[in-house]
Amino acid sequence: MRTTTGWMTAEGTTALRRVRLERRDLRDDDLAVRVDYCGVCHSDLHRIGGLLGEGALVPGHEFTGTVTAVGAAVTAFSVGDRVAVGTVVDSCGVCEMCRIGQENYCYEGPVTTYGGTDRVDGTRTQGGYSREYVVRDRFAYHLPDGLGQAAAAPLMCAGITVWEPLRAAGIGPGSSVAVAGLGGLGHLGVKLAAELGAEVTVLSRTPAKVGDAHKLGAAETLVTTDDRQTRRARGRFDLILDAIPVAHDLSPLLRMAALDGTLALLGYPLEQAVRILDLVQGRKRLTSSGTGGRRRTAELLDFCADHAIAADVEVLPSARVQEALDRLGRGDVRYRFVLDLSDLDRPADS
């Protein structure tokens, strides 16, 4: 077994502690990746808090790094290559979803980057809040030139999570897109939708983010607590990306969707009430998206490299991971925390 260092929760608590970890010896189609930067996702908070499963774990499922070793059968990667890894690290490879490049919906169940079950040995996967990760080569991506490692890391979860519904809805010039929740997901939703040619509106409870929304590419900010503004927006948007990370009332958003318009729920993957009449009135569509498959992820990275799109990040040494999680819980970040894992090379008391 290989050994590395990372940040793990203790079962029954949300506190993280620095620990030694074991990684598997490389299989023929594996890469060993030195994790350089790992994004801090709101779903990490959900998992640590027990909302999406319990038990001790190493979080982190959006990271970039450098290949340090390759398995005997690997031909597409070499030592020294810059790579990115996202939320899925294996799948059955043969079901209909896998065959069309939607491994995230694998009928046998995708193997998630942490908290999943390895298909070969049955061990629990541990994530990217660590200095090394061993991953099957099919689920690593070359990081294009021009994308910095820190700002690219959130593309592997937040970016692909908004990219898939944008592509599924055929968003382009002439489309009208709204983004609710201007956080880690939402700010990338604004950037990507605008670059695709859509007219983008940010939906916000306060006007405090008007300046940021404009800088990100939004044409307008609609204050959802202003009844006059929400009434004028009835039936206006072809697609609404709902990136709000807590339970909330869906009816006001559905009323803003156009005829045959779509509300895509992305930020809160748990139960929420839906008033069916809000779907009936205008033939609205309610959908969701769970991260992305290999085809769309590779497409996203190329698009972002071609159009100079990356996340707006605040980089912290990994020893400050608890601070990042606490501040994320309060919404105190513009717009994604990224951990620099290089401090794990130093002794714990240094």
Side-chain angles (χ1 to χ4, degrees), residues 14-15 40 45 320-333 337:
T14 58
V40 180
L45 276 179
R320 293 171 63 186
V321 60
Q322 203 69 52
E323 174 190 338
L325 290 167
D326 292 344
R327 286 178 55 194
L328 177 59
R330 301 194 302 268
D332 179 22
V333 57
F337 282 119

Side-chain angles (χ1 to χ4, degrees), residues 43-185:
S43 61
D44 296 342
L45 276 179
H46 289 157
R47 288 299 296 266
I48 291 168
L51 292 179
L52 296 173
E54 298 180 352
L57 53 83
V58 177
H61 58 201
E62 50 178 42
F63 62 85
T64 56
T66 305
V67 176
T68 58
V70 299
V74 173
T75 59
F77 295 90
S78 300
V79 172
D81 285 351
R82 300 190 323 149
V83 294
V85 177
T87 62
V88 175
V89 293
D90 206 357
S91 69
C92 78
V94 297
C95 73
E96 183 179 355
M97 291 295 102
C98 289
R99 290 198 305 270
I100 64 172
Q102 294 284 183
E103 294 85 357
N104 50 324
Y105 303 133
C106 174
Y107 288 155
E108 297 298 320
V111 179
T112 53
T113 311
Y114 68 88
T117 301
D118 185 88
R119 293 179 57 82
V120 176
D121 61 21
T123 58
R124 195 177 195 209
T125 56
Q126 301 292 354
Y129 290 11
S130 60
R131 191 52 165 157
E132 181 178 85
Y133 197 95
V134 175
V135 62
R136 191 178 177 196
D137 60 350
R138 296 179 73 243
F139 291 89
Y141 304 83
H142 285 283
L143 188 63
D145 293 339
L147 287 180
Q149 282 187 302
L155 298 177
M156 301 306 295
C157 175
I160 188 60
T161 297
V162 295
W163 181 250
E164 283 224 343
L166 285 167
R167 300 297 280 159
I171 296 303
S175 300
S176 180
V177 174
V179 177
L182 195 62
L185 271 70

Side-chain angles (χ1 to χ4, degrees), residues 325-345:
L325 290 167
D326 292 344
R327 286 178 55 194
L328 177 59
R330 301 194 302 268
D332 179 22
V333 57
R334 296 290 185 274
Y335 279 97
R336 197 73 156 188
F337 282 119
V338 171
L339 302 177
D340 179 347
L341 281 304
S342 63
D343 62 347
L344 289 178
D345 292 337

